[in-house]
Amino acid sequence: MPLAIAFALIALVLFVCASIARRRALALPRSLTAEYSPVQPPKRAADPVGDAILAGRDRRAVAAGLLHLATSRKVRLVAETTARGRAAVGVEVVEGAEFTEEDTELLETLFGPGHPQGRVRRFSKDRRAVGRRVRAFVDRRAAVLRRRRLLRPDGVPARLVLRVACGILLLIVVPAAAILLIAGVWLPGALCASAVALAVAALWLLPPGERRRPTPDGDRRRRHLDGLRQYMVLAEADRIRFLQSPEGALSAPITAGAAADADGALAAYVLDEKLLPYAVIFGIERRWLAHLKIAYENVDGRLIEETLSHASDLLLVAEALGDLADIGFAVADLVSSGGDALEVVGGVFDALN
């Protein structure tokens, strides 16, 4: 009995430590102002993957990166269904799109060296392999952030210690709980079973990798991201049009014959769309998709067809998947806009550029 109590207390301590580690990983420095654009002076291109890592949202980094490629009109996402009725996302390269080295690395992470024959990859069979590539990709991008002096070079191994402690505890407590419960020793068995549940929950709560420590420049970036998060959480459909700054309102061209009031509707939609990767980072994608839908419905049908078509594609993909955070594991084969399959090995992206 005393040993069972000790196991339960140790598991409780590990659970509390894991909860604290998760909260610290997701906490951003408080911003005193709302931010309307992901771009922070000095001007640089938006980097949702790097920002997800700085914000402690490693598991959402690839999803945000893929959506950034889509909202930047480099790839087109199309909702598809596999033979087994599962939702998948078809990915097409937009003709004339120019890919950076980071874009290419992201696509290679998702599609890997192999290329199946059908249009839709049976992602359920190689989800684990994609997961391994995603973790390696995130580690490489974290190394880039260190070189840019946004993260300190030394990590903190506390999470590794917690993982090892949980693993050792499970090796001891799982057999003990099974033996005690089978023997009918209910109270100690229940305590051991509770220890098992707490240890498993602690492993689930622990953020992936090791704790990364931001530099002062990294903290400034994280504070900017908190301002962006505040804006996105508090924004309402009409409020977006009122509050957006000239720099934050990323407008798109419209046809000469379009009505003047449609310009504002399209600008509101494009602003919402550009922030969709960050909605995924902050875990508010469903709320933000509601803003997208409202803005899309207010866009005049006479506006450029490409923008409207792209908008409907994104909304259909979101509706099919339900959770855009899983979009990286639901990608179909990479094809060109002409429908030809593309191999993601051997410098194929040189041909695209």
Side-chain angles (χ1 to χ4, degrees):
M1 183 69 176
L3 200 56
I5 294 174
F7 287 150
L9 289 176
I10 292 172
L12 180 60
V13 170
L14 291 174
F15 176 80
V16 171
C17 291
S19 301
I20 293 172
R22 185 179 184 87
R23 185 166 59 251
R24 291 182 67 177
L26 300 180
L28 292 171
R30 184 71 176 173
S31 174
L32 298 179
T33 58
E35 303 289 350
Y36 314 117
S37 169
V39 179
Q40 176 188 15
K43 297 295 186 183
R44 65 173 179 84
D47 179 19
V49 173
D51 289 339
I53 295 171
L54 282 173
R57 274 78 169 181
D58 291 13
R59 289 173 177 153
R60 293 174 172 262
V62 166
L66 183 57
L67 284 168
H68 179 62
L69 291 182
T71 56
S72 300
R73 304 299 195 270
K74 294 184 178 182
V75 301
R76 181 169 172 256
L77 304 179
V78 182
E80 297 190 336
T81 305
T82 67
R84 297 184 179 182
R86 297 183 181 182
V89 180
V91 180
E92 296 179 350
V93 173
V94 175
E95 184 178 356
E98 295 186 1
F99 291 86
T100 64
E101 184 178 343
E102 290 80 9
D103 297 338
T104 303
E105 186 181 11
L106 172 62
L107 291 174
E108 289 179 344
T109 296
L110 291 175
F111 297 102
H115 182 77
Q117 296 299 316
R119 170 68 189 275
V120 179
R121 188 177 69 196
R122 296 180 180 177
F123 56 89
S124 60
K125 288 186 178 181
D126 53 13
R127 185 184 179 105
R128 191 172 300 176
V130 174
R132 287 195 296 268
R133 292 200 300 269
V134 165
R135 285 191 293 273
F137 170 74
V138 169
D139 288 342
R140 290 194 299 271
R141 293 301 298 272
V144 172
L145 294 175
R146 292 189 188 96
R147 290 197 295 271
R148 289 169 51 190
R149 301 183 185 279
L150 294 175
L151 289 176
R152 299 183 189 276
D154 53 329
V156 180
R159 295 180 193 172
L160 178 60
V161 173
L162 287 174
R163 290 190 192 96
V164 172
C166 287
I168 294 173
L169 183 64
L170 286 172
L171 287 175
I172 298 171
V173 179
V174 169
I179 293 170
L180 290 170
L181 291 174
I182 291 172
V185 186
W186 300 114
L187 185 55
L191 287 172
C192 288
S194 299
V196 171
L198 287 170
V200 170
L203 286 173
W204 182 82
L205 281 174
L206 271 175
E210 298 306 322
R211 182 188 168 200
R212 303 185 181 99
R213 296 192 301 162
T215 63
D217 286 343
D219 266 334
R220 279 192 289 273
R221 179 62 187 164
R222 282 158 50 83
R223 190 172 291 108
H224 182 92
L225 290 173
D226 183 69
L228 185 63
R229 181 195 60 80
Q230 290 182 44
Y231 167 69
M232 296 180 69
V233 168
L234 298 175
E236 299 170 1
D238 291 332
R239 216 165 164 200
I240 290 173
R241 298 191 189 95
F242 178 74
L243 290 176
Q244 62 190 14
S245 68
E247 293 182 354
L250 305 173
S251 58
I254 61 173
T255 56
D261 59 347
D263 189 2
L266 182 58
Y269 174 80
V270 174
L271 173 62
D272 287 6
E273 183 190 65
K274 292 290 184 182
L275 292 179
L276 181 57
Y278 288 87
V280 170
I281 291 174
F282 300 131
I284 56 173
E285 62 269 20
R286 294 186 182 181
R287 199 181 317 178
W288 202 249
L289 281 166
H291 294 319
L292 268 178
K293 189 172 183 180
I294 291 172
Y296 171 65
E297 290 172 350
N298 287 334
V299 175
D300 193 294
R302 292 172 294 175
L303 299 178
I304 53 176
E305 182 178 352
E306 180 184 352
T307 298
L308 294 178
S309 174
H310 192 81
S312 60
D313 288 342
L314 283 174
L315 294 172
L316 286 172
V317 165
E319 183 178 354
L321 289 182
D323 188 355
L324 287 176
D326 287 335
I327 194 171
F329 296 100
V331 291
D333 294 345
L334 183 69
V335 300
S336 68
S337 56
D340 299 323
L342 297 169
E343 293 285 350
V344 193
V345 288
V348 68
F349 285 100
D350 293 338
L352 296 179
N353 293 331

